[in-house]
Every structure is written in C-alpha cells, then in structure tokens.
Amino acid sequence: FEFLGKDPQRVQLNYFVAARGGNEKMVGNGTDLSSGFNTYAFEWLPGSMRWFINGKLVHSKTGAGLPSVPGQFFFSLWAGASSLDGWLGKFDPAAGPVSAEIDWAAYTRPDERCLFPESITCP
C-alpha cells in the first residue's frame, strides 16, 4: 500500500517480482483515508494476491507473474521531489509538517486463523 498525497481517497497497490515493480494499481473505498486510522491487509498465497481496506476486498490478482519467493512489507513516508509531482502530487512545505501514524502491524501465517479481531481470516 503506497499513500500518495495527491489523492487521500485512494492508495496505490504494488508488488515486486525479481526486484522489479511496475504492478501499480490505484484503489480506494470512497472515503478520505487520511481522516483516521484504517485497516489495510493483503493476502499472498501461491497463485493469488488480494488487498483489503477495512475488511473490504479492493483488488485481486491471480495467475502468472506474481511473487514466488519470501518477501517483506515495510512502512515509508515519501518526502517527494519536484520530479515526482505527477506521481505523488506537489508537496507544499509551508502547509506544515507531514506525518504518518501506524497504530499496529501484524502478520498471520497461511495456516493460522483469526488471531486478532481485525484479521481478514476472522469470519
């Protein structure tokens, strides 16, 4: 999930195969995602990937071209540069400090189910 300042109602999904991205997809749930905490989740299984926002499936990908080696997830806040204005949106430093808050992160193995109430594995 990549949060681009130009559109707080959408996030960019991406995944990497052999250290290459290029699999971007912009998705949203019709609300301002910057107005409060949200739950973001993805499910990565052999032959499929699915992305969720607040428990709702927002995108899925199946078939060839998906990652097949162990991966990682990380959090970052893009500072941006004028060369990235078209992607991120124009950054205005006079608008005040920019921050990202992560309340918690969790990992669930494919063989585990419902370890915490917000998990997409819970019924």
Tab-separated table of all heavy atoms in Angstrom, residues 43-104:
chain	number	residue	atom	x	y	z
A	43	GLU	N	-3.420	-10.545	1.311
A	43	GLU	CA	-3.313	-11.998	1.415
A	43	GLU	C	-2.472	-12.455	0.231
A	43	GLU	O	-2.811	-12.183	-0.916
A	43	GLU	CB	-4.706	-12.609	1.355
A	43	GLU	CG	-4.726	-14.111	1.448
A	43	GLU	CD	-6.140	-14.647	1.332
A	43	GLU	OE1	-6.750	-14.471	0.259
A	43	GLU	OE2	-6.625	-15.210	2.318
A	44	TRP	N	-1.400	-13.134	0.522
A	44	TRP	CA	-0.477	-13.596	-0.516
A	44	TRP	C	-0.385	-15.112	-0.417
A	44	TRP	O	0.135	-15.653	0.549
A	44	TRP	CB	0.870	-12.942	-0.306
A	44	TRP	CG	1.967	-13.351	-1.221
A	44	TRP	CD1	1.864	-13.996	-2.424
A	44	TRP	CD2	3.354	-13.131	-1.015
A	44	TRP	NE1	3.101	-14.192	-2.980
A	44	TRP	CE2	4.036	-13.666	-2.121
A	44	TRP	CE3	4.090	-12.541	-0.005
A	44	TRP	CZ2	5.428	-13.620	-2.245
A	44	TRP	CZ3	5.464	-12.491	-0.128
A	44	TRP	CH2	6.114	-13.026	-1.244
A	45	LEU	N	-0.967	-15.788	-1.377
A	45	LEU	CA	-0.968	-17.242	-1.438
A	45	LEU	C	-0.370	-17.676	-2.773
A	45	LEU	O	-0.312	-16.875	-3.712
A	45	LEU	CB	-2.398	-17.774	-1.310
A	45	LEU	CG	-3.124	-17.429	-0.011
A	45	LEU	CD1	-4.595	-17.793	-0.116
A	45	LEU	CD2	-2.477	-18.123	1.167
A	46	PRO	N	0.041	-18.915	-2.898
A	46	PRO	CA	0.547	-19.370	-4.200
A	46	PRO	C	-0.504	-19.132	-5.297
A	46	PRO	O	-1.642	-19.574	-5.184
A	46	PRO	CB	0.801	-20.861	-3.989
A	46	PRO	CG	1.026	-20.995	-2.516
A	46	PRO	CD	0.112	-19.967	-1.886
A	47	GLY	N	-0.144	-18.357	-6.291
A	47	GLY	CA	-1.035	-18.112	-7.422
A	47	GLY	C	-2.050	-17.003	-7.259
A	47	GLY	O	-2.842	-16.757	-8.168
A	48	SER	N	-2.054	-16.308	-6.089
A	48	SER	CA	-3.016	-15.213	-5.932
A	48	SER	C	-2.559	-14.207	-4.878
A	48	SER	O	-1.832	-14.549	-3.949
A	48	SER	CB	-4.395	-15.746	-5.554
A	48	SER	OG	-4.399	-16.226	-4.235
A	49	MET	N	-3.004	-12.984	-5.073
A	49	MET	CA	-2.830	-11.919	-4.085
A	49	MET	C	-4.150	-11.162	-4.010
A	49	MET	O	-4.811	-10.958	-5.023
A	49	MET	CB	-1.696	-10.965	-4.465
A	49	MET	CG	-0.326	-11.602	-4.415
A	49	MET	SD	1.000	-10.424	-4.790
A	49	MET	CE	1.088	-9.540	-3.244
A	50	ARG	N	-4.520	-10.757	-2.766
A	50	ARG	CA	-5.740	-9.978	-2.573
A	50	ARG	C	-5.439	-8.858	-1.577
A	50	ARG	O	-4.739	-9.080	-0.594
A	50	ARG	CB	-6.882	-10.861	-2.047
A	50	ARG	CG	-7.207	-11.987	-2.990
A	50	ARG	CD	-8.391	-12.849	-2.607
A	50	ARG	NE	-8.578	-13.085	-1.188
A	50	ARG	CZ	-9.758	-13.335	-0.627
A	50	ARG	NH1	-10.852	-13.374	-1.357
A	50	ARG	NH2	-9.862	-13.569	0.667
A	51	TRP	N	-5.996	-7.662	-1.830
A	51	TRP	CA	-5.792	-6.495	-0.991
A	51	TRP	C	-7.124	-6.038	-0.413
A	51	TRP	O	-8.144	-6.025	-1.115
A	51	TRP	CB	-5.181	-5.349	-1.796
A	51	TRP	CG	-3.790	-5.592	-2.265
A	51	TRP	CD1	-2.635	-5.159	-1.672
A	51	TRP	CD2	-3.359	-6.276	-3.448
A	51	TRP	NE1	-1.540	-5.540	-2.400
A	51	TRP	CE2	-1.958	-6.233	-3.507
A	51	TRP	CE3	-4.036	-6.941	-4.481
A	51	TRP	CZ2	-1.223	-6.807	-4.522
A	51	TRP	CZ3	-3.307	-7.525	-5.498
A	51	TRP	CH2	-1.911	-7.449	-5.510
A	52	PHE	N	-7.114	-5.636	0.863
A	52	PHE	CA	-8.318	-5.244	1.584
A	52	PHE	C	-8.119	-3.891	2.258
A	52	PHE	O	-7.032	-3.592	2.753
A	52	PHE	CB	-8.638	-6.262	2.684
A	52	PHE	CG	-8.875	-7.654	2.190
A	52	PHE	CD1	-7.810	-8.505	1.905
A	52	PHE	CD2	-10.163	-8.125	2.023
A	52	PHE	CE1	-8.024	-9.797	1.451
A	52	PHE	CE2	-10.391	-9.429	1.575
A	52	PHE	CZ	-9.322	-10.254	1.290
A	53	ILE	N	-9.175	-3.085	2.295
A	53	ILE	CA	-9.209	-1.865	3.101
A	53	ILE	C	-10.431	-1.973	3.999
A	53	ILE	O	-11.549	-2.158	3.515
A	53	ILE	CB	-9.287	-0.594	2.231
A	53	ILE	CG1	-8.058	-0.477	1.323
A	53	ILE	CG2	-9.418	0.655	3.120
A	53	ILE	CD1	-8.109	0.704	0.355
A	54	ASN	N	-10.188	-1.900	5.300
A	54	ASN	CA	-11.254	-2.017	6.298
A	54	ASN	C	-12.124	-3.251	6.071
A	54	ASN	O	-13.346	-3.209	6.166
A	54	ASN	CB	-12.099	-0.742	6.334
A	54	ASN	CG	-11.276	0.451	6.769
A	54	ASN	OD1	-10.370	0.327	7.583
A	54	ASN	ND2	-11.567	1.604	6.205
A	55	GLY	N	-11.467	-4.365	5.764
A	55	GLY	CA	-12.151	-5.642	5.598
A	55	GLY	C	-12.792	-5.867	4.242
A	55	GLY	O	-13.293	-6.953	3.979
A	56	LYS	N	-12.783	-4.866	3.372
A	56	LYS	CA	-13.416	-4.989	2.060
A	56	LYS	C	-12.353	-5.259	0.991
A	56	LYS	O	-11.362	-4.547	0.900
A	56	LYS	CB	-14.171	-3.708	1.721
A	56	LYS	CG	-14.841	-3.755	0.376
A	56	LYS	CD	-15.527	-2.436	0.057
A	56	LYS	CE	-16.055	-2.473	-1.366
A	56	LYS	NZ	-16.504	-1.162	-1.815
A	57	LEU	N	-12.589	-6.280	0.188
A	57	LEU	CA	-11.681	-6.605	-0.912
A	57	LEU	C	-11.693	-5.462	-1.924
A	57	LEU	O	-12.757	-5.077	-2.409
A	57	LEU	CB	-12.106	-7.911	-1.588
A	57	LEU	CG	-11.286	-8.353	-2.789
A	57	LEU	CD1	-9.875	-8.743	-2.364
A	57	LEU	CD2	-11.972	-9.516	-3.493
A	58	VAL	N	-10.514	-4.894	-2.222
A	58	VAL	CA	-10.443	-3.787	-3.177
A	58	VAL	C	-9.711	-4.151	-4.464
A	58	VAL	O	-9.821	-3.447	-5.459
A	58	VAL	CB	-9.805	-2.524	-2.547
A	58	VAL	CG1	-10.692	-1.966	-1.440
A	58	VAL	CG2	-8.393	-2.806	-2.033
A	59	HIS	N	-8.966	-5.256	-4.458
A	59	HIS	CA	-8.275	-5.687	-5.669
A	59	HIS	C	-7.777	-7.110	-5.481
A	59	HIS	O	-7.442	-7.520	-4.372
A	59	HIS	CB	-7.094	-4.762	-5.975
A	59	HIS	CG	-6.373	-5.093	-7.248
A	59	HIS	ND1	-6.981	-5.051	-8.480
A	59	HIS	CD2	-5.090	-5.474	-7.480
A	59	HIS	CE1	-6.105	-5.383	-9.416
A	59	HIS	NE2	-4.953	-5.641	-8.832
A	60	SER	N	-7.723	-7.857	-6.568
A	60	SER	CA	-7.139	-9.197	-6.523
A	60	SER	C	-6.382	-9.440	-7.821
A	60	SER	O	-6.682	-8.856	-8.858
A	60	SER	CB	-8.214	-10.263	-6.309
A	60	SER	OG	-9.130	-10.257	-7.375
A	61	LYS	N	-5.397	-10.308	-7.736
A	61	LYS	CA	-4.572	-10.674	-8.889
A	61	LYS	C	-4.293	-12.157	-8.789
A	61	LYS	O	-3.934	-12.664	-7.727
A	61	LYS	CB	-3.269	-9.872	-8.861
A	61	LYS	CG	-2.256	-10.239	-9.879
A	61	LYS	CD	-2.595	-9.682	-11.235
A	61	LYS	CE	-1.438	-9.979	-12.180
A	61	LYS	NZ	-1.816	-10.045	-13.539
A	62	THR	N	-4.496	-12.869	-9.889
A	62	THR	CA	-4.218	-14.302	-9.918
A	62	THR	C	-3.409	-14.626	-11.158
A	62	THR	O	-3.338	-13.835	-12.100
A	62	THR	CB	-5.524	-15.131	-9.954
A	62	THR	OG1	-6.267	-14.771	-11.115
A	62	THR	CG2	-6.369	-14.894	-8.722
A	63	GLY	N	-2.807	-15.797	-11.145
A	63	GLY	CA	-2.104	-16.280	-12.325
A	63	GLY	C	-0.613	-16.029	-12.296
A	63	GLY	O	-0.013	-15.845	-11.243
A	64	ALA	N	-0.039	-16.004	-13.479
A	64	ALA	CA	1.411	-15.866	-13.640
A	64	ALA	C	1.871	-14.446	-13.301
A	64	ALA	O	1.080	-13.510	-13.307
A	64	ALA	CB	1.800	-16.212	-15.070
A	65	GLY	N	3.155	-14.327	-13.014
A	65	GLY	CA	3.752	-13.019	-12.779
A	65	GLY	C	3.661	-12.507	-11.363
A	65	GLY	O	3.964	-11.346	-11.106
A	66	LEU	N	3.259	-13.348	-10.425
A	66	LEU	CA	3.183	-12.956	-9.022
A	66	LEU	C	4.479	-13.342	-8.308
A	66	LEU	O	5.197	-14.237	-8.752
A	66	LEU	CB	2.000	-13.626	-8.343
A	66	LEU	CG	0.630	-13.178	-8.833
A	66	LEU	CD1	-0.458	-14.057	-8.232
A	66	LEU	CD2	0.394	-11.726	-8.481
A	67	PRO	N	4.783	-12.695	-7.182
A	67	PRO	CA	5.981	-13.072	-6.426
A	67	PRO	C	5.912	-14.538	-5.997
A	67	PRO	O	4.843	-15.051	-5.668
A	67	PRO	CB	5.935	-12.160	-5.200
A	67	PRO	CG	5.003	-11.055	-5.551
A	67	PRO	CD	4.052	-11.602	-6.556
A	68	SER	N	7.062	-15.201	-5.995
A	68	SER	CA	7.090	-16.605	-5.597
A	68	SER	C	8.173	-16.903	-4.559
A	68	SER	O	8.335	-18.043	-4.173
A	68	SER	CB	7.308	-17.496	-6.828
A	68	SER	OG	8.534	-17.166	-7.454
A	69	VAL	N	8.891	-15.885	-4.126
A	69	VAL	CA	9.915	-16.069	-3.093
A	69	VAL	C	9.506	-15.254	-1.865
A	69	VAL	O	8.715	-14.308	-1.981
A	69	VAL	CB	11.315	-15.636	-3.589
A	69	VAL	CG1	11.756	-16.508	-4.754
A	69	VAL	CG2	11.328	-14.179	-3.991
A	70	PRO	N	10.005	-15.610	-0.677
A	70	PRO	CA	9.634	-14.859	0.522
A	70	PRO	C	9.848	-13.362	0.327
A	70	PRO	O	10.799	-12.933	-0.319
A	70	PRO	CB	10.562	-15.420	1.594
A	70	PRO	CG	10.871	-16.799	1.126
A	70	PRO	CD	10.933	-16.694	-0.379
A	71	GLY	N	8.949	-12.580	0.898
A	71	GLY	CA	9.008	-11.129	0.757
A	71	GLY	C	8.984	-10.444	2.101
A	71	GLY	O	9.150	-11.069	3.142
A	72	GLN	N	8.763	-9.159	2.056
A	72	GLN	CA	8.697	-8.359	3.265
A	72	GLN	C	7.746	-7.199	3.045
A	72	GLN	O	7.429	-6.863	1.914
A	72	GLN	CB	10.075	-7.833	3.635
A	72	GLN	CG	10.722	-7.009	2.529
A	72	GLN	CD	12.159	-6.669	2.845
A	72	GLN	OE1	12.550	-6.601	4.001
A	72	GLN	NE2	12.955	-6.454	1.824
A	73	PHE	N	7.253	-6.638	4.119
A	73	PHE	CA	6.498	-5.397	3.995
A	73	PHE	C	7.194	-4.361	4.850
A	73	PHE	O	7.887	-4.680	5.813
A	73	PHE	CB	5.019	-5.566	4.346
A	73	PHE	CG	4.707	-5.862	5.789
A	73	PHE	CD1	4.454	-4.833	6.670
A	73	PHE	CD2	4.629	-7.161	6.250
A	73	PHE	CE1	4.135	-5.086	8.005
A	73	PHE	CE2	4.320	-7.425	7.572
A	73	PHE	CZ	4.077	-6.392	8.439
A	74	PHE	N	7.041	-3.113	4.450
A	74	PHE	CA	7.679	-2.038	5.189
A	74	PHE	C	6.823	-0.787	5.090
A	74	PHE	O	5.947	-0.687	4.241
A	74	PHE	CB	9.106	-1.775	4.691
A	74	PHE	CG	9.201	-1.482	3.220
A	74	PHE	CD1	9.172	-0.176	2.743
A	74	PHE	CD2	9.331	-2.505	2.297
A	74	PHE	CE1	9.258	0.090	1.393
A	74	PHE	CE2	9.421	-2.250	0.942
A	74	PHE	CZ	9.385	-0.944	0.488
A	75	PHE	N	7.086	0.155	5.993
A	75	PHE	CA	6.366	1.418	6.024
A	75	PHE	C	7.326	2.522	5.619
A	75	PHE	O	8.471	2.533	6.069
A	75	PHE	CB	5.839	1.695	7.431
A	75	PHE	CG	4.950	0.612	7.960
A	75	PHE	CD1	5.441	-0.350	8.813
A	75	PHE	CD2	3.618	0.561	7.583
A	75	PHE	CE1	4.624	-1.353	9.301
A	75	PHE	CE2	2.792	-0.432	8.067
A	75	PHE	CZ	3.291	-1.394	8.923
A	76	SER	N	6.868	3.429	4.797
A	76	SER	CA	7.702	4.571	4.431
A	76	SER	C	6.814	5.774	4.177
A	76	SER	O	5.637	5.641	3.868
A	76	SER	CB	8.556	4.261	3.198
A	76	SER	OG	7.737	3.969	2.089
A	77	LEU	N	7.379	6.952	4.334
A	77	LEU	CA	6.694	8.197	4.049
A	77	LEU	C	7.530	8.910	2.993
A	77	LEU	O	8.666	9.291	3.244
A	77	LEU	CB	6.575	9.047	5.316
A	77	LEU	CG	5.869	10.384	5.173
A	77	LEU	CD1	4.436	10.196	4.688
A	77	LEU	CD2	5.880	11.123	6.499
A	78	TRP	N	6.973	9.037	1.804
A	78	TRP	CA	7.696	9.635	0.687
A	78	TRP	C	7.738	11.145	0.859
A	78	TRP	O	6.710	11.803	0.932
A	78	TRP	CB	7.006	9.291	-0.628
A	78	TRP	CG	7.105	7.857	-1.004
A	78	TRP	CD1	6.319	6.834	-0.567
A	78	TRP	CD2	8.049	7.274	-1.884
A	78	TRP	NE1	6.711	5.651	-1.130
A	78	TRP	CE2	7.777	5.894	-1.952
A	78	TRP	CE3	9.099	7.782	-2.649
A	78	TRP	CZ2	8.510	5.018	-2.727
A	78	TRP	CZ3	9.822	6.905	-3.422
A	78	TRP	CH2	9.535	5.540	-3.450
A	79	ALA	N	8.945	11.695	0.896
A	79	ALA	CA	9.093	13.146	1.005
A	79	ALA	C	8.810	13.820	-0.331
A	79	ALA	O	8.339	14.935	-0.386
A	79	ALA	CB	10.500	13.496	1.479
A	80	GLY	N	9.112	13.142	-1.397
A	80	GLY	CA	8.824	13.687	-2.721
A	80	GLY	C	9.896	14.652	-3.198
A	80	GLY	O	10.735	15.125	-2.448
A	81	ALA	N	9.847	14.922	-4.451
A	81	ALA	CA	10.732	15.878	-5.117
A	81	ALA	C	9.960	16.393	-6.321
A	81	ALA	O	9.008	15.754	-6.782
A	81	ALA	CB	12.031	15.189	-5.559
A	82	SER	N	10.355	17.532	-6.834
A	82	SER	CA	9.604	18.113	-7.946
A	82	SER	C	9.519	17.162	-9.132
A	82	SER	O	8.538	17.178	-9.879
A	82	SER	CB	10.212	19.449	-8.364
A	82	SER	OG	11.559	19.279	-8.768
A	83	SER	N	10.493	16.290	-9.293
A	83	SER	CA	10.458	15.335	-10.399
A	83	SER	C	9.368	14.269	-10.201
A	83	SER	O	9.028	13.555	-11.132
A	83	SER	CB	11.821	14.667	-10.569
A	83	SER	OG	12.162	13.939	-9.400
A	84	LEU	N	8.815	14.161	-8.985
A	84	LEU	CA	7.778	13.169	-8.689
A	84	LEU	C	6.394	13.783	-8.507
A	84	LEU	O	5.459	13.101	-8.104
A	84	LEU	CB	8.159	12.389	-7.424
A	84	LEU	CG	9.467	11.608	-7.478
A	84	LEU	CD1	9.780	11.004	-6.120
A	84	LEU	CD2	9.418	10.536	-8.541
A	85	ASP	N	6.246	15.080	-8.805
A	85	ASP	CA	4.966	15.756	-8.602
A	85	ASP	C	3.810	15.063	-9.317
A	85	ASP	O	2.703	14.995	-8.792
A	85	ASP	CB	5.035	17.215	-9.061
A	85	ASP	CG	5.774	18.105	-8.066
A	85	ASP	OD1	6.137	17.627	-6.982
A	85	ASP	OD2	5.987	19.289	-8.413
A	86	GLY	N	4.046	14.543	-10.508
A	86	GLY	CA	2.982	13.874	-11.250
A	86	GLY	C	2.502	12.601	-10.575
A	86	GLY	O	1.341	12.215	-10.698
A	87	TRP	N	3.378	11.943	-9.842
A	87	TRP	CA	3.040	10.699	-9.156
A	87	TRP	C	2.484	10.974	-7.758
A	87	TRP	O	1.413	10.499	-7.400
A	87	TRP	CB	4.279	9.809	-9.075
A	87	TRP	CG	4.094	8.522	-8.344
A	87	TRP	CD1	3.094	7.598	-8.516
A	87	TRP	CD2	4.924	8.001	-7.312
A	87	TRP	NE1	3.257	6.546	-7.656
A	87	TRP	CE2	4.386	6.757	-6.902
A	87	TRP	CE3	6.092	8.450	-6.697
A	87	TRP	CZ2	4.958	5.984	-5.909
A	87	TRP	CZ3	6.664	7.658	-5.708
A	87	TRP	CH2	6.104	6.441	-5.325
A	88	LEU	N	3.220	11.753	-6.962
A	88	LEU	CA	2.848	11.980	-5.568
A	88	LEU	C	1.909	13.152	-5.360
A	88	LEU	O	1.189	13.193	-4.371
A	88	LEU	CB	4.105	12.248	-4.729
A	88	LEU	CG	5.135	11.133	-4.646
A	88	LEU	CD1	6.379	11.617	-3.912
A	88	LEU	CD2	4.550	9.934	-3.944
A	89	GLY	N	1.939	14.118	-6.261
A	89	GLY	CA	1.271	15.396	-6.045
A	89	GLY	C	2.308	16.397	-5.589
A	89	GLY	O	3.353	16.029	-5.053
A	90	LYS	N	2.045	17.661	-5.807
A	90	LYS	CA	3.012	18.705	-5.450
A	90	LYS	C	3.055	18.859	-3.935
A	90	LYS	O	2.028	18.994	-3.275
A	90	LYS	CB	2.632	20.017	-6.108
A	90	LYS	CG	3.643	21.121	-5.877
A	90	LYS	CD	3.372	22.288	-6.798
A	90	LYS	CE	4.315	23.434	-6.579
A	90	LYS	NZ	5.724	23.117	-6.628
A	91	PHE	N	4.244	18.845	-3.397
A	91	PHE	CA	4.445	18.986	-1.964
A	91	PHE	C	4.619	20.461	-1.622
A	91	PHE	O	5.400	21.163	-2.243
A	91	PHE	CB	5.681	18.195	-1.520
A	91	PHE	CG	5.997	18.363	-0.057
A	91	PHE	CD1	5.150	17.827	0.902
A	91	PHE	CD2	7.113	19.055	0.352
A	91	PHE	CE1	5.421	17.979	2.256
A	91	PHE	CE2	7.396	19.208	1.704
A	91	PHE	CZ	6.555	18.673	2.647
A	92	ASP	N	3.879	20.928	-0.627
A	92	ASP	CA	3.967	22.311	-0.168
A	92	ASP	C	4.502	22.304	1.256
A	92	ASP	O	3.752	22.057	2.201
A	92	ASP	CB	2.592	22.971	-0.230
A	92	ASP	CG	2.615	24.405	0.272
A	92	ASP	OD1	3.715	24.956	0.530
A	92	ASP	OD2	1.518	24.985	0.405
A	93	PRO	N	5.807	22.595	1.447
A	93	PRO	CA	6.368	22.556	2.802
A	93	PRO	C	5.746	23.590	3.736
A	93	PRO	O	5.756	23.421	4.950
A	93	PRO	CB	7.859	22.820	2.589
A	93	PRO	CG	8.012	23.273	1.197
A	93	PRO	CD	6.786	22.906	0.438
A	94	ALA	N	5.162	24.657	3.184
A	94	ALA	CA	4.530	25.677	4.024
A	94	ALA	C	3.225	25.180	4.641
A	94	ALA	O	2.700	25.789	5.571
A	94	ALA	CB	4.265	26.936	3.197
A	95	ALA	N	2.691	24.077	4.148
A	95	ALA	CA	1.431	23.536	4.667
A	95	ALA	C	1.600	22.899	6.044
A	95	ALA	O	0.615	22.503	6.661
A	95	ALA	CB	0.850	22.520	3.689
A	96	GLY	N	2.823	22.787	6.505
A	96	GLY	CA	3.052	22.229	7.835
A	96	GLY	C	3.718	20.878	7.773
A	96	GLY	O	3.938	20.328	6.697
A	97	PRO	N	4.021	20.320	8.915
A	97	PRO	CA	4.689	19.019	8.920
A	97	PRO	C	3.769	17.924	8.377
A	97	PRO	O	2.555	17.995	8.488
A	97	PRO	CB	5.019	18.777	10.390
A	97	PRO	CG	4.102	19.661	11.152
A	97	PRO	CD	3.779	20.836	10.250
A	98	VAL	N	4.376	16.937	7.793
A	98	VAL	CA	3.671	15.774	7.264
A	98	VAL	C	4.078	14.576	8.101
A	98	VAL	O	5.252	14.408	8.432
A	98	VAL	CB	4.025	15.549	5.777
A	98	VAL	CG1	3.364	14.293	5.252
A	98	VAL	CG2	3.618	16.752	4.953
A	99	SER	N	3.109	13.754	8.458
A	99	SER	CA	3.436	12.584	9.269
A	99	SER	C	2.555	11.426	8.852
A	99	SER	O	1.529	11.591	8.204
A	99	SER	CB	3.232	12.887	10.761
A	99	SER	OG	1.869	13.130	11.025
A	100	ALA	N	2.987	10.255	9.243
A	100	ALA	CA	2.201	9.034	9.062
A	100	ALA	C	2.204	8.324	10.405
A	100	ALA	O	3.242	8.233	11.062
A	100	ALA	CB	2.802	8.153	7.981
A	101	GLU	N	1.057	7.843	10.825
A	101	GLU	CA	0.960	7.133	12.094
A	101	GLU	C	0.516	5.703	11.838
A	101	GLU	O	-0.461	5.467	11.132
A	101	GLU	CB	-0.046	7.815	13.012
A	101	GLU	CG	0.371	9.208	13.430
A	101	GLU	CD	-0.635	9.843	14.366
A	101	GLU	OE1	-1.130	9.131	15.279
A	101	GLU	OE2	-0.925	11.028	14.180
A	102	ILE	N	1.249	4.767	12.398
A	102	ILE	CA	0.925	3.344	12.321
A	102	ILE	C	0.577	2.913	13.735
A	102	ILE	O	1.401	3.013	14.641
A	102	ILE	CB	2.131	2.512	11.795
A	102	ILE	CG1	2.734	3.106	10.530
A	102	ILE	CG2	1.740	1.051	11.645
A	102	ILE	CD1	1.824	3.185	9.351
A	103	ASP	N	-0.642	2.457	13.942
A	103	ASP	CA	-1.062	2.043	15.277
A	103	ASP	C	-0.506	0.665	15.612
A	103	ASP	O	-0.050	0.430	16.718
A	103	ASP	CB	-2.582	2.056	15.359
A	103	ASP	CG	-3.103	1.814	16.763
A	103	ASP	OD1	-2.464	2.283	17.713
A	103	ASP	OD2	-4.144	1.159	16.898
A	104	TRP	N	-0.563	-0.259	14.656
A	104	TRP	CA	-0.023	-1.594	14.876
A	104	TRP	C	0.111	-2.308	13.540
A	104	TRP	O	-0.496	-1.908	12.549
A	104	TRP	CB	-0.864	-2.402	15.856
A	104	TRP	CG	-2.300	-2.567	15.458
A	104	TRP	CD1	-3.330	-1.718	15.735
A	104	TRP	CD2	-2.864	-3.628	14.681
A	104	TRP	NE1	-4.489	-2.192	15.189
A	104	TRP	CE2	-4.236	-3.357	14.533
A	104	TRP	CE3	-2.343	-4.774	14.094
A	104	TRP	CZ2	-5.095	-4.192	13.830
A	104	TRP	CZ3	-3.199	-5.601	13.400
A	104	TRP	CH2	-4.550	-5.317	13.276
